[in-house]
Amino acid sequence: MGGTDGDRGAAGDHPAAEGHEAAAQHGGGRDGGPGTGDGHGTGDGPRGGAGRRYVPIADHGLIGDLRTAALVAIDGTIDWYCSPSFDAPSVFAAVLDADRGGCFELAAAVPARTKQFYFPDTNVLITRFYTADGVGEVQDFMPVSEDPAETGRHRLIRRVLCVRGTVPFRVRVAPRFDYGTRPHTVRRAGDVTVFESERLSLGLTSTVPVTPDGDDVRARFDLTEGATAVLALDHLAEGVTPRGCARDEAENAFATTVRYWRRWLSSSRYRGRWREMVHRSALTLKLLTYAPTGAIVAAPTTSLPEEIGGERNWDYRYVWVRDAAFCVYALLRLGFTQEAEAFMGFVFRHVSPGDGDPTGPLQIMYGIDGRTDLSETELGHLEGHLASAPVRVGNAAAEQLQLDIYGALIDSIYLYDKWAEPVSSDQWDHVCALVEWVGGHWDQPDEGIWETRGGRRKFLYSRLMCWVAIERAIRMAHRRGLPADLPRWQACRDTIYRRIMSHGWSEQRGAFVQHEDGDVLDAAVLMMPLTKFMAPTDPKWLRTLDSLTEDLVSDSLVYRYDPGVSPDGLRGGEGTFSICSFWYVEALTRAGRLDEASLAFEKMLTYANHLGLYAEQIGHGGEQQGNFPQAFTHLSLISAAFNLDRALG
């Protein structure tokens, strides 16, 4: 899903591009958990030299402070960072343009192997450098402060340690403000180096000397065993003054950040077979939340390609109602009710029919602050990851009609009401308004879940989720004794059910199909048993599952549909869609095909990166494609693991 076509993608992983060998060797424990990424760099110059202008997208980790996030490559370079929020203009964007994007390099200054892992049960990222004379590591994190006086401070800390022998390090801090379009100056202010542009300033503090180099600063230093160095980058704004970051302060911030993440994760109720992967997915979803409003972004990046060299590049740094609602389901399953409560606050503040006009449809996505104007533009000066243009900011899919979001939203409200807190009377009135709109408009053609540009159709999935919207509201009314026009709602629900059964089934294919009176298969129908629309062992459903397996499944990986027979209005192809692959696991599980489900799930775990992170799609060679990491994929992993665990007993 995602851009103007909705294919929200995941980062492009292309081992052969630019002569670059795959830098990550993926390992794992017996429970399918992530291993440590193993990379190789020469230590000579940017990206380790050897013509490596881009690191594969999967060779990154994510850090964040619940307001913004950064991608740290396996060679120690911060390739992506927006300040002060997810959807702010980038400061470092080398992942989209190696020359103009800007980056923060920190690596061994001699040839080194690198490995990357998360400090256990946290979002603190550690990159290790193995050299001939010693071993060093960089601990990257953003402090998460619950002190109201600190909410305006956004700090990125890079703590460097030598753990064995002696290791020389090199540093280059090269910000390029506003996606590389705004010039900046470099000046000293006491012990702080200030990078100052028209709209944004950053302050760099360092325990090692740094030297100006044009618009950048550089440093080289040696550490012996037990020695440390600290570099900290602060967002400077009104009321937020530059502040040093001594070794003791960095050590305290490290300990505080570790405690925060471990305390948060301790609320998880999951004790199943795939605890490491499920908890990494939960930590990733938490990183994608915007604490000030409760918003949940689809991904922290923009324009990472779904196909190297292709045009399917979209901006995912926004709140898709569908994605965020599914996230609420996944987090509630694990026991994280505060995140659900925060998102419900966002929903009832900002997501309303017609955005104030009760006669209009919901907008499918919003800014993290609830804004509705997400106008899409192209940044022609950036070449795109591995020359995959265009680079886009904003997302024109916000203007599409997608009827399925009503089902996702009301289902999340139903689950919140059931597992967390009862909805208020005002909130119930809001739900009733949504149901009334669905009742009058469910039969329209729309762009559908995949946000196609091939024209509006009467998609089965859209009708399925309209059925979910009304059915869940009826359940809430019955369980709570809430006022509702139940006879009319039930009649509408049943009409949608019969319409799907009569017009969504193809006798020729022996399966439920993508849109009414057609014969094209679509992996979105995997949600039919998952939403309890029909029994997972219904003969019609089992025939559909067999047809999907034959036509859209490749070694457990699932394509959304075949664009050759269902044109989506875009050039090029795409990889398999990871959320569909986890839906497939869950459908097999519910159908009682546990051996098949277990094997498919274990295979999917091998496609995670070295840290257990996923993009949206997987390419033909197993590379990750599109924006990274992707909320959709991680929430579906949680759901599949939870239900497969329960079925296996």
Side-chain angles (χ1 to χ4, degrees):
M1 310 170 335
T4 46
D5 82 321
D7 302 351
R8 248 183 334 289
D13 208 24
H14 202 264
E18 301 289 332
H20 172 60
E21 287 185 26
Q25 307 297 321
H26 299 163
R30 61 188 176 87
D31 67 344
T36 55
D38 192 354
H40 307 273
T42 68
D44 285 323
R47 310 318 316 229
R52 286 174 46 187
R53 296 179 65 241
Y54 291 95
V55 170
I57 298 304
D59 287 356
H60 289 82
L62 186 73
I63 60 173
D65 62 359
L66 309 184
R67 286 163 176 79
T68 188
L71 291 183
V72 185
I74 200 168
D75 65 1
T77 300
I78 295 179
D79 276 338
W80 178 255
Y81 175 57
C82 298
S83 183
S85 61
F86 289 109
D87 57 356
S90 66
V91 172
F92 304 131
V95 73
L96 293 178
D97 193 309
D99 301 320
R100 303 178 188 87
C103 63
F104 189 157
E105 298 175 7
L106 175 51
V110 295
R113 290 184 303 111
T114 63
K115 290 191 176 184
Q116 204 172 49
F117 63 98
Y118 280 110
F119 199 78
D121 296 332
T122 78
N123 281 314
V124 174
L125 185 66
I126 298 176
T127 306
R128 292 201 131 194
F129 299 89
Y130 299 82
T131 75
D133 297 316
V135 179
E137 70 180 34
V138 177
Q139 300 172 346
D140 283 309
F141 61 98
M142 294 186 197
V144 180
S145 177
E146 298 177 286
D147 180 355
E150 291 286 287
T151 55
R153 183 176 297 279
H154 304 281
R155 167 164 277 196
L156 196 163
I157 296 178
R158 313 202 73 184
R159 188 167 175 247
V160 192
L161 299 81
C162 179
V163 296
R164 300 185 69 183
T166 302
V167 180
F169 286 90
R170 59 176 174 81
V171 175
R172 175 177 171 248
V173 185
R176 299 294 182 264
F177 293 92
D178 205 350
Y179 306 107
T181 62
R182 293 193 180 275
H184 68 273
T185 59
V186 182
R187 62 179 175 85
R188 294 288 296 180
D191 296 331
V192 181
T193 300
V194 177
F195 301 93
E196 198 164 34
S197 72
E198 180 182 351
R199 298 181 181 176
L200 178 67
S201 295
L202 299 175
L204 175 71
T205 58
S206 173
T207 61
V208 297
V210 297
T211 303
D213 180 15
D215 293 334
D216 310 334
V217 299
R218 295 179 182 269
R220 289 181 81 95
F221 58 94
D222 297 338
L223 293 181
T224 57
E225 189 168 326
T228 65
V230 177
L231 295 100
L233 197 63
D234 282 280
H235 170 85
L236 304 182
E238 185 177 351
V240 182
T241 56
R243 187 168 73 191
C245 191
R247 291 176 177 85
D248 289 345
E249 183 180 353
E251 186 173 356
N252 290 336
F254 175 87
T256 300
T257 304
V258 166
R259 282 196 301 271
Y260 172 85
W261 288 115
R262 287 183 167 175
R263 185 172 65 251
W264 180 82
L265 191 60
S266 68
S267 297
S268 171
R269 295 197 298 255
Y270 183 79
R271 300 292 184 270
R273 294 166 175 80
W274 298 283
R275 185 175 176 181
E276 187 176 358
M277 289 298 289
V278 167
H279 282 174
R280 178 51 50 199
S281 291
L283 284 162
T284 302
L285 293 181
K286 180 64 172 176
L287 274 181
L288 299 182
T289 61
Y290 183 65
T293 65
I296 304 173
V297 298
T301 55
T302 181
S303 300
L304 297 179
E306 297 173 12
E307 179 184 43
I308 299 299
E311 66 172 336
R312 297 169 184 254
N313 315 317
W314 315 111
D315 192 348
Y316 281 11
R317 299 171 298 159
Y318 306 114
V319 187
W320 265 257
V321 172
R322 173 195 311 111
D323 299 37
F326 283 163
C327 281
V328 168
Y329 164 80
L331 292 171
L332 280 173
R333 270 292 188 201
L334 301 181
F336 297 108
T337 58
Q338 288 187 344
E339 288 67 32
E341 182 180 1
F343 177 67
M344 287 302 151
F346 179 89
V347 166
F348 291 118
R349 282 193 306 272
H350 301 295
V351 181
S352 60
D355 295 305
D357 174 8
T359 64
L362 290 179
Q363 184 159 310
I364 71 164
M365 72 180 86
Y366 297 79
I368 56 176
D369 56 357
R371 72 186 186 281
T372 57
D373 183 6
L374 304 179
S375 301
E376 184 177 298
T377 59
E378 295 183 3
L379 304 180
H381 64 285
L382 297 178
E383 74 169 3
H385 182 73
L386 289 170
S388 303
V391 171
R392 293 183 171 96
V393 172
N395 201 309
E399 301 171 4
Q400 289 189 351
L401 174 65
Q402 296 177 26
L403 297 173
D404 64 280
I405 65 173
Y406 288 87
L409 179 58
I410 295 180
D411 191 40
S412 70
I413 296 171
Y414 162 76
L415 294 172
Y416 176 74
D417 179 80
K418 180 179 179 181
W419 292 342
E421 292 289 336
V423 298
S424 68
S425 56
D426 287 344
Q427 291 169 339
W428 176 245
D429 289 343
H430 190 113
V431 171
C432 290
L434 296 175
V435 173
E436 291 297 331
W437 192 92
V438 171
H441 298 85
W442 66 267
D443 198 26
Q444 297 182 68
D446 69 343
E447 277 85 5
I449 182 176
W450 308 132
E451 297 167 14
T452 178
R453 294 179 68 183
R456 290 185 176 183
R457 295 180 181 272
K458 294 189 174 185
F459 290 105
L460 184 151
Y461 182 78
S462 297
R463 276 136 191 75
L464 170 68
M465 296 308 286
C466 286
W467 177 90
V468 169
I470 301 174
E471 199 274 339
R472 298 305 190 264
I474 292 172
R475 286 195 195 190
M476 290 175 67
H478 276 304
R479 191 169 61 86
R480 294 272 312 280
L482 295 169
D485 190 346
L486 289 176
R488 191 157 57 87
W489 287 11
Q490 290 167 346
C492 185
R493 177 199 62 185
D494 296 347
T495 298
I496 299 173
Y497 176 90
R498 295 190 181 95
R499 179 67 168 268
I500 291 172
M501 298 302 289
S502 62
H503 288 70
W505 173 261
S506 168
E507 286 293 346
Q508 180 178 345
R509 293 302 301 264
F512 289 102
V513 290
Q514 183 182 66
H515 55 83
E516 287 193 359
D517 303 318
D519 58 8
V520 177
L521 295 180
D522 190 318
V525 304
L526 286 164
M527 285 291 287
M528 295 180 78
L530 275 56
T531 58
K532 303 185 185 301
F533 175 84
M534 66 188 313
T537 54
D538 186 292
K540 282 190 172 182
W541 171 248
L542 294 178
R543 290 177 65 187
T544 301
L545 186 58
D546 289 339
S547 294
L548 292 171
T549 301
E550 182 177 349
D551 283 27
L552 296 181
V553 178
S554 172
D555 189 40
S556 83
L557 301 177
V558 181
Y559 291 94
R560 296 183 300 172
Y561 52 84
D562 180 357
V565 296
S566 181
D568 56 17
L570 291 167
R571 296 187 300 274
E574 61 178 25
T576 55
F577 224 67
S578 292
I579 188 174
C580 297
S581 299
F582 285 120
W583 284 348
Y584 180 62
V585 170
E586 198 164 339
L588 290 170
T589 299
R590 292 172 185 256
R593 300 178 179 180
L594 298 185
D595 286 345
E596 294 176 62
S598 297
L599 181 59
F601 189 72
E602 292 289 351
K603 286 181 177 180
M604 271 300 296
L605 296 184
T606 70
Y607 289 102
N609 85 339
H610 56 288
L611 299 167
L613 302 181
Y614 288 87
E616 188 175 49
Q617 299 183 19
I618 296 171
H620 294 297
E623 69 276 12
Q624 300 210 33
Q625 301 177 166
N627 286 311
F628 176 91
Q630 178 80 4
F632 236 5
T633 305
H634 286 280
L635 64 90
S636 60
L637 182 155
I638 291 171
S639 182
F642 184 92
N643 286 286
L644 181 55
D645 248 324
R646 186 168 57 182
L648 290 172

